[in-house]
Amino acid sequence: MAEPQRKSRLSIHEGASKVALAEKSFSKMRMRRQSFGFGRVPGITAAGPRTSQLGIEYKRPALTYLPTYQLGPTRKVKDFEVRKIIDNFLDEHFTGHKYNVQESPALALRLSCEIMREMKTMEYNRYRFIVVVTIYQRRSQCYNNAITFLWDSERDTYVDVQRVTTTAAIQVTAFAIYLD
C-alpha cells in the first residue's frame, strides 16, 4: 500500500499566498508615493522641535542671497562694541550681587542669553557667537578657565570681561567665530 504524499507547511503557504495575490486587483492596492528631496541621504533628517531656550526666541532671518565664494567678512566684529554690550548688562544685573546657590546659575543663563541676543542684533554677517558666563563664589581660591577649539586669528575674535563683588565673581567670555 502506498503512503499518501505529505505536503510541507512551506509549500502549503506558498500556494496560498500565490492564490491570494492573484485575487487582489492592482488598482486597489496602495502604492507608496516616492519621496522627493533628501529623504534617502544619510545624516539629513526633518527638523524637529527646538530644544534651546534661545532658539525659540531667536528666528534666523531668511537668506536673501545666493551662496558666494567670499573668504573674508564684509564687516569685522569690533571688540569695543561687544565689550560695551557686556559692560552694560553687568552694570545692570551684577552690581551688588551676593552669591546664592539657587539664583546665581539662573543669572548666568539669563545673562548669556541676553548678551548673545544683543550681539545677534548687531547683524554681523557670517559670524557665530558663543557666550560663556561663569559665576563663582569667592573663598580664597584661584580660578582658571580654559576653552579650546580651532581658531583663525585673522577673522575670529573674543572679549573677556571680569567683575568682582564681595561674595562673588563673574567672568563673561564672548567669542565671535567667522564661518566661511
Side-chain angles (χ1 to χ4, degrees):
M1 190 167 180
E3 271 185 41
Q5 204 175 18
R6 288 186 166 184
K7 287 188 175 181
S8 69
R9 284 187 168 182
L10 182 61
S11 63
I12 293 170
H13 288 296
E14 284 178 5
S17 64
K18 287 179 186 176
V19 171
L21 187 60
E23 291 174 3
K24 286 188 178 180
S25 166
F26 283 108
S27 62
K28 292 182 181 178
M29 290 179 68
R30 287 191 174 185
M31 301 295 287
R32 184 173 173 211
R33 187 177 73 97
Q34 215 176 13
S35 64
F36 299 102
F38 299 102
R40 292 188 171 190
V41 177
I44 297 179
T45 59
R50 294 187 177 265
T51 57
S52 127
Q53 291 177 342
L54 185 64
I56 295 169
E57 299 165 5
Y58 179 77
K59 300 272 185 190
R60 191 176 299 265
L63 292 176
T64 56
Y65 57 89
L66 293 173
T68 64
Y69 298 100
Q70 174 184 344
L71 296 178
T74 54
R75 187 177 130 204
K76 288 190 176 183
V77 174
K78 296 180 176 82
D79 295 349
F80 66 90
E81 290 178 352
V82 176
R83 186 176 301 276
K84 185 177 174 184
I85 290 171
I86 294 172
D87 285 336
N88 288 341
F89 278 109
L90 289 181
D91 289 340
E92 183 180 337
H93 296 286
F94 195 70
T95 304
H97 178 75
K98 293 190 189 273
Y99 185 81
N100 186 344
V101 177
Q102 284 80 29
E103 294 175 10
S104 294
L107 176 64
L109 180 65
R110 189 171 66 239
L111 277 175
S112 65
C113 289
E114 289 179 7
I115 290 169
M116 188 180 303
R117 186 179 309 118
E118 188 67 29
M119 287 173 67
K120 286 183 178 183
T121 60
M122 294 168 39
E123 295 183 3
Y124 286 107
N125 194 11
R126 297 183 179 202
Y127 273 95
R128 168 84 35 100
F129 297 109
I130 302 169
V131 179
V132 179
V133 177
T134 307
I135 300 175
Y136 56 96
Q137 187 175 11
R138 291 186 59 205
R139 287 185 149 187
S140 305
Q141 79 271 13
C142 70
Y143 171 75
N144 292 323
N145 188 7
I147 299 173
T148 61
F149 49 86
L150 291 176
W151 190 260
D152 182 3
S153 59
E154 294 176 5
R155 298 177 189 105
D156 301 341
T157 187
Y158 76 99
V159 175
D160 187 44
V161 178
Q162 296 179 357
R163 294 279 176 91
V164 177
T165 63
T166 57
T167 62
I170 188 169
Q171 179 183 14
V172 179
T173 308
F175 296 96
I177 312 299
Y178 181 73
L179 301 174
D180 311 294

